[in-house]
């Protein structure tokens, strides 16, 4: 098996995927949640855009046809608005590569990332909505046009010491990320992260106003030249910080660091779920109460399929007294995407919303009273969909743990 077929999120020149595109026989196995064993046909689909449009072009084989047509001489198609819609109505969730990498050594998700890079460099992509957040990242180091001076304002709301990692040596550099720094609906996770880390005796530092957007959203829509420039600057900044670990609660930041930064960083990067499991294993935990709820867990694509982090969150959930855990049909490597990634939430909000709503319905079908995840984009998108239908509250695992830890 090709090693890269196992690694989702690897960027290569588009022409390196020409053979993959030719090898795709359009078997449509990539559209099914569990080709080996379908337990519930209501939740058997697993390509969000294909399931939404029911049109062949929006399934992975259709995108592979675009790759094939653009890598022959002369190209067989023009890049029209319809082609751009097919390319960008994909969250890059990685399911197609999970199944095709195993069965056929194909790399569809990687190919579609490279296709976006190709379109941007040829002046065709990304979508206008994407250009708005790219401009904001360039100007303000976050996608939402917030001023830099507000990036560390959240620290005034916590009652624990957070050090300035620009000036002091710390054990953990907490990379907060744009969502954790600015979005009030996700800042509970930010507070919980520093509370847990300090509770277990770690010196925590942040970059504060000097923290910059990791560039994940730029990378996902194909804006790679600007991303590479930003990446080089951030690597230098992070390597100068004296810390043992970099910890983040953002699955997007984590995925970007691990894929694109890790080989040049001088310290390991852990998602907070990984670090929390490390705390449980090495220090042990005690709880001050219990939560009597039936819960399920949504695997974020950038933790699950991209890096295989499936067991740690489930072990943490199982350790919390009172929680009754139930799995959905589409789970672990076969998880249904929340719909927010790959620029879809900004480029096609209706598709993102309906994708999240489908996931909420699945959680309700299995009787979940709480819907737990570990990614700010998943949490935002799922919460909006759930609130619109009075569905189960969407919770972050880190916040739940913080509530009941002694």
């Amino acid at each position: 098996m090709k090693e890269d077929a196992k690694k989702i999120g690897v960027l290569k020149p588009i022409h390196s995927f020409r053979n993959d595109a030719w090898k795709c026989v359009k078997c449509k196995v990539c559209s099914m949640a569990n080709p080996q064993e379908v337990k519930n046909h209501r939740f058997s689909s697993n390509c969000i855009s294909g399931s939404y449009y029911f049109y062949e072009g929006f399934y992975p084989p259709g995108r592979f046809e675009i790759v094939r047509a653009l890598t022959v001489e002369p190209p067989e198609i023009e890049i029209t608005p319809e082609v751009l819609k097919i390319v960008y109505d994909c969250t890059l969730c990685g399911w197609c590569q999970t199944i095709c990498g195993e069965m056929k050594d194909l790399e569809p998700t990687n190919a579609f990332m490279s296709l976006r890079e190709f379109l941007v460099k040829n002046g065709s992509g990304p979508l206008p909505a994407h250009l708005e957040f790219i401009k904001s990242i360039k100007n303000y180091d976050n996608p939402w046009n917030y001023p830099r001076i507000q990036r560390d304002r959240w620290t005034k709301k916590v009652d624990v010491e957070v050090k300035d990692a620009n000036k002091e040596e710390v054990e953990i550099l907490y990379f907060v990320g744009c969502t954790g720094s600015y979005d009030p609906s996700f800042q509970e996770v930010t507070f919980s992260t520093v509370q847990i880390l300090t509770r277990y005796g770690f010196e925590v530092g942040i970059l504060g106003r000097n923290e910059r957007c990791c560039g994940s959203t730029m990378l996902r829509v194909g804006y790679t030249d600007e991303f590479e420039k930003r990446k080089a600057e951030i690597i230098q900044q992070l390597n100068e910080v004296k810390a043992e670990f970099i910890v983040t609660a953002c699955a997007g930041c984590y995925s970007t660091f691990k894929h694109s930064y890790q080989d040049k960083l001088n310290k390991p990067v852990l998602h907070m779920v990984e670090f929390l499991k490390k705390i449980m294993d090495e220090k042990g935990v005690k709880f001050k109460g219990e939560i009597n709820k039936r819960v399920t867990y949504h695997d974020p694509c950038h933790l699950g399929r991209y890096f295989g982090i499936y067991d740690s969150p489930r072990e943490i959930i199982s350790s919390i007294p009172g929680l009754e855990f139930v799995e959905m049909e589409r789970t672990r490597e076969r998880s249904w995407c929340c719909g927010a990634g790959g620029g879809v939430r900004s480029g096609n909000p209706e598709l993102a919303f309906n994708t999240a709503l489908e996931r909420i319905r699945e959680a309700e079908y299995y009787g979940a009273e709480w819907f737990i995840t570990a990614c700010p984009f998943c949490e935002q998108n799922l919460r909006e969909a759930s609130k619109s239908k009075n569905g189960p509250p969407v919770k972050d695992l880190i916040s739940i743990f913080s509530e009941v830890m002694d």
Side-chain angles (χ1 to χ4, degrees):
M1 177 180 285
K2 288 192 306 182
E3 189 62 29
D4 280 351
K6 302 178 184 178
K7 296 179 180 178
I8 302 169
V10 177
L11 196 64
K12 295 184 287 189
I14 188 175
H15 283 77
S16 65
F17 296 108
R18 182 179 179 182
N19 287 340
D20 277 25
W22 280 96
K23 288 177 184 177
C24 176
V25 296
K26 301 172 180 58
C27 69
K28 295 292 290 294
V29 172
C30 58
S31 69
M32 295 183 283
N34 191 342
Q36 288 80 26
E37 180 184 358
V38 177
K39 297 177 182 177
N40 187 334
H41 287 275
R42 166 63 181 83
F43 304 111
S44 61
S45 299
N46 216 353
C47 174
I48 72 159
S49 58
S51 300
Y52 183 73
Y53 293 106
F54 288 106
Y55 179 68
E56 291 298 305
F58 287 91
Y59 285 101
R63 295 188 180 93
F64 253 152
E65 271 298 289
I66 295 174
V67 173
R68 186 201 62 77
L70 291 176
T71 53
V72 297
E73 295 295 339
E76 294 181 350
I77 60 171
E78 294 182 8
I79 302 170
T80 62
E82 290 75 18
V83 169
L84 286 178
K85 181 173 180 60
I86 290 172
V87 173
Y88 282 102
D89 272 1
C90 168
T91 59
L92 302 174
C93 77
W95 162 244
C96 54
Q97 189 160 322
T98 297
I99 190 66
C100 287
E102 179 181 331
M103 295 178 63
K104 305 175 185 177
D105 283 353
L106 301 185
E107 304 174 57
T109 307
N110 295 343
F112 305 153
M113 281 184 61
S114 297
L115 173 58
R116 293 179 178 193
E117 178 187 52
F118 174 82
L119 293 175
V120 169
K121 289 187 174 181
N122 280 273
S124 301
L127 302 180
H130 299 148
L131 292 174
E132 293 180 18
F133 69 68
I134 288 171
K135 181 179 178 181
S136 177
I137 293 172
K138 288 181 178 180
N139 291 336
Y140 304 109
D141 277 316
N142 68 81
W144 304 298
N145 289 306
Y146 284 111
R148 289 185 180 88
I149 60 172
Q150 292 184 11
R151 196 170 189 107
D152 61 351
R153 185 173 289 181
W154 63 267
T155 58
K156 299 176 181 178
K157 301 177 183 179
V158 292
D159 56 0
V160 296
E161 182 183 9
V162 182
K163 296 188 174 183
D164 185 348
N166 300 285
K167 301 176 182 178
E168 301 180 68
E169 182 175 349
V170 295
E171 287 181 87
I172 296 173
L173 171 62
Y174 174 31
F175 194 91
V176 185
C178 300
T179 309
S181 297
Y182 293 108
D183 188 344
S185 67
F186 190 73
Q187 283 183 343
E188 181 183 347
V189 179
T190 305
F191 306 152
S192 297
T193 298
V194 296
Q195 287 165 348
I196 292 170
L197 294 175
T198 54
R199 161 65 183 84
Y200 286 98
F202 296 98
E203 289 184 329
V204 183
I206 62 170
L207 295 172
R209 298 176 187 180
N210 291 329
E211 184 181 283
R212 306 178 63 192
C213 176
C214 71
S216 173
T217 47
M218 285 180 162
L219 176 63
R220 310 303 163 193
V221 301
Y223 222 79
T224 54
D225 287 345
E226 180 66 27
F227 170 77
E228 288 297 328
K229 177 184 176 182
R230 171 170 296 268
K231 166 186 161 182
E233 295 169 352
I234 296 177
I235 285 174
Q236 180 179 351
Q237 179 190 38
L238 295 177
N239 283 345
E240 290 174 356
V241 172
K242 295 181 179 179
E244 294 180 32
F245 301 96
I246 298 173
V247 173
T248 183
C250 176
C253 294
Y254 174 81
S255 177
T256 304
F257 286 154
K258 295 286 282 188
H259 267 307
S260 303
Y261 287 58
Q262 186 69 78
D263 59 337
K264 295 182 180 178
L265 288 175
N266 60 10
K267 51 186 74 69
V269 178
L270 295 172
H271 189 273
M272 185 56 188
V273 166
E274 291 180 292
F275 203 83
L276 190 51
K277 183 62 170 62
K278 177 181 172 68
I279 290 172
M280 291 174 60
D281 292 343
E282 296 179 0
K283 295 178 178 286
V285 296
K286 294 181 179 180
F287 298 98
K288 63 183 179 183
E290 61 181 43
I291 303 175
N292 295 304
K293 294 288 183 181
R294 182 179 173 91
V295 304
T296 193
Y297 177 73
H298 169 78
D299 291 281
C301 302
H302 285 278
L303 292 185
R305 279 187 284 262
Y306 276 59
F307 290 100
I309 301 176
Y310 300 116
D311 294 331
S312 295
R314 288 167 171 80
E315 290 171 9
I316 295 169
I317 291 171
S318 298
S319 74
I320 298 175
L323 291 185
E324 178 191 353
F325 180 64
V326 59
E327 290 279 18
M328 293 178 282
E329 169 75 10
R330 293 172 288 194
T331 187
R332 301 178 75 93
E333 70 274 8
R334 297 181 176 93
S335 183
W336 176 261
C337 177
C338 79
V344 170
R345 183 175 162 90
S346 54
N348 191 341
E350 182 179 347
L351 174 59
F353 177 84
N354 280 278
T355 302
L357 192 59
E358 166 70 2
R359 191 59 156 163
I360 295 299
R361 288 169 179 154
E362 186 174 358
E364 289 179 317
Y365 182 89
Y366 287 94
E369 297 173 279
W370 279 4
F371 199 174
I372 301 175
T373 189
C375 167
F377 290 100
C378 294
E379 187 173 333
Q380 286 176 329
N381 211 41
L382 293 169
R383 181 182 289 131
E384 287 182 14
S386 191
K387 282 185 175 180
S388 73
K389 301 296 181 181
N390 293 316
V394 178
K395 303 278 187 175
D396 190 277
L397 179 55
I398 300 165
S399 296
I400 294 174
F401 185 92
S402 179
E403 285 181 24
V404 295
M405 72 175 182
D406 188 359

